[in-house]
Amino acid sequence: MIKNNCEFTHKVFIFFVLFFALTQAQETLPEKATFKDPVTKYWINTYGNIRISKKLFWVAQTHFRFQETENTPFVGQVAQVYNRHALGYIYSKKINFALGGVLRLNFDTKDESEDQNTIPEYRIWHQYQFAMHVGIATAYHRFRLEHRWSKSFKENSDYIFRNRWRYMFRLKIPINTPKIEAKTFYIAPEAELIMQSGKTVIDSPLEDLRLHTSFGYIISPQITVAAGFMYNQGQTLGNGGLWKQGWTFRTHLYFSPDFRKTKNKLPEVHFRD
C-alpha cells in the first residue's frame, strides 16, 4: 500500500513538473514571428589568395562593414572590421581547403550605449570549396565551419562559444565571353545558409540566410572587381521568434598575386570565392 502511494505521488509530482515546464514555455514563446525593421548596410570586402607554392596559398581577407544611422542610410557608421587569414591547400584545380583564424572588431552602433564601444571577437574557421562547370557558367559549393567566441557590449560580460555551420551556393555566369576568363563581365547570384549551435542557442538555430547577386569584371587572372546587393534575415540569439533583416550594398576586390615562375602557375578557376 505504501509502495503504491509512493508511486502515485511520484507520478503526480512528475505531472506537475512537466505541466509547469510546458506552461512556462508557452508563456515565453511568442504567438507568431516578429520581423524587425530592415537595417541598411555597406560592406567593402577584399579577398586575397596569395600563392605560396604549387599546392599552398595564403588567404588574406579584410572587410569594412558600415551600418545606417538615423540620418544616413548604408554608410552611417562603422559596425565591424574583419581580418580573416588562413593557410589554403589546393587538392586539384577545382577543389581547395583552408584553415585559419579571424579577428573581428565589433563597434557598438546604439546611440544610447554607455558601456564598451569596441570589443574583439575571435574565430577559428575551416573551409571546403568545390567548383564545377555548368554550361558556360561556373558553380561553387562552399562549406565553412566557424568556432566563435563573442560577447555583448555590456560591462563585464563574458565570452560565449558557438559553432557556425555555413553553406553557400554560387553561380558565376559570363556575359560578354563564352567562358570565365580575363576581360569578362559576369553576374553572380548566390545563396548562403548560416546555422548556429551551442549552449546559448536555445530556439534560434537559423542565424542568417543571405541572398546576394553581384555584377563583376575580371581585369586579369590576378584582379577582379564586383559590386552587388544582398538581402538577409535570421533569428536573434536571445529570442527565436524575433527576426532581424537587412539590405546590404557590397563591393568586392579579389586579388591573387602569384610570384612563382610562369611555367609553374596553375589555372585560377578555383580561386574565385
Side-chain angles (χ1 to χ4, degrees):
M1 183 71 176
I2 295 176
K3 182 179 180 181
N4 292 336
N5 288 336
C6 289
E7 290 178 352
F8 176 78
T9 304
H10 185 249
K11 291 178 180 179
V12 170
F13 175 76
I14 293 176
F15 172 80
F16 277 107
V17 169
L18 293 174
F19 178 79
F20 178 78
L22 292 172
T23 302
Q24 291 298 106
Q26 290 174 355
E27 289 176 354
T28 56
L29 289 176
E31 294 182 359
K32 60 180 180 179
T34 302
F35 282 83
K36 293 183 177 181
D37 292 333
V39 176
T40 59
K41 304 174 185 178
Y42 173 51
W43 293 0
I44 301 173
N45 303 328
T46 65
Y47 303 89
N49 290 307
I50 304 167
R51 293 297 294 273
I52 299 174
S53 67
K54 182 179 180 180
K55 289 293 185 180
L56 299 177
F57 63 98
W58 186 259
V59 179
Q61 301 179 3
T62 304
H63 299 173
F64 300 93
R65 298 183 175 182
F66 300 86
Q67 184 173 310
E68 67 176 16
T69 57
E70 184 177 353
N71 299 319
T72 308
F74 293 103
V75 201
Q77 58 189 321
V78 179
Q80 296 100 26
V81 175
Y82 268 85
N83 268 297
R84 178 185 285 122
H85 291 267
L87 181 64
Y89 176 76
I90 303 168
Y91 179 79
S92 70
K93 291 187 293 184
K94 297 181 181 180
I95 300 175
N96 66 74
F97 316 115
L99 170 65
V102 177
L103 171 61
R104 179 173 117 164
L105 297 178
N106 297 318
F107 297 86
D108 196 350
T109 56
K110 296 180 181 178
D111 296 332
E112 68 275 9
S113 175
E114 297 180 357
D115 296 317
Q116 304 174 82
N117 294 319
T118 307
I119 56 174
E121 178 179 317
Y122 309 100
R123 301 179 188 178
I124 297 172
W125 68 288
H126 38 113
Q127 175 176 290
Y128 313 87
Q129 183 169 259
F130 308 87
M132 58 184 295
H133 293 293
V134 182
I136 63 172
T138 303
Y140 299 86
H141 301 273
R142 189 185 74 187
F143 300 88
R144 178 181 291 175
L145 281 72
E146 297 177 333
H147 313 290
R148 177 184 188 184
W149 290 265
S150 64
K151 66 177 182 177
S152 70
F153 289 100
K154 294 181 180 179
E155 199 69 37
N156 299 321
S157 61
D158 295 324
Y159 277 94
I160 60 173
F161 174 76
R162 286 171 287 164
N163 289 306
R164 302 177 93 206
W165 312 85
R166 304 175 59 167
Y167 168 70
M168 186 191 76
F169 175 76
R170 186 183 191 213
L171 282 175
K172 183 178 285 186
I173 307 168
I175 296 175
N176 63 318
T177 58
K179 62 179 181 179
I180 298 296
E181 57 187 0
K183 311 303 180 184
T184 296
F185 288 97
Y186 68 87
I187 187 170
E190 68 180 49
E192 182 175 21
L193 177 65
I194 303 177
M195 307 294 290
Q196 63 179 343
S197 63
K199 292 182 178 179
T200 58
V201 182
I202 308 300
D203 58 352
S204 52
L206 202 165
E207 182 177 347
D208 216 7
L209 173 63
R210 299 175 178 178
L211 304 176
H212 173 231
T213 298
S214 60
F215 178 78
Y217 178 67
I218 303 174
I219 299 174
S220 70
Q222 289 76 38
I223 301 178
T224 296
V225 292
F229 262 100
M230 179 181 76
Y231 172 75
N232 74 289
Q233 64 172 239
Q235 295 173 294
T236 58
L237 180 61
N239 185 344
L242 184 61
W243 290 67
K244 61 183 184 293
Q245 57 180 332
W247 291 98
T248 305
F249 178 60
R250 300 172 60 174
T251 54
H252 312 276
L253 171 64
Y254 302 90
F255 59 97
S256 301
D258 190 340
F259 303 105
R260 299 171 301 136
K261 294 180 180 179
T262 304
K263 66 179 182 179
N264 293 327
K265 293 184 179 181
L266 293 176
E268 306 290 342
V269 62
H270 53 285
F271 277 145
R272 301 307 171 193
D273 188 5

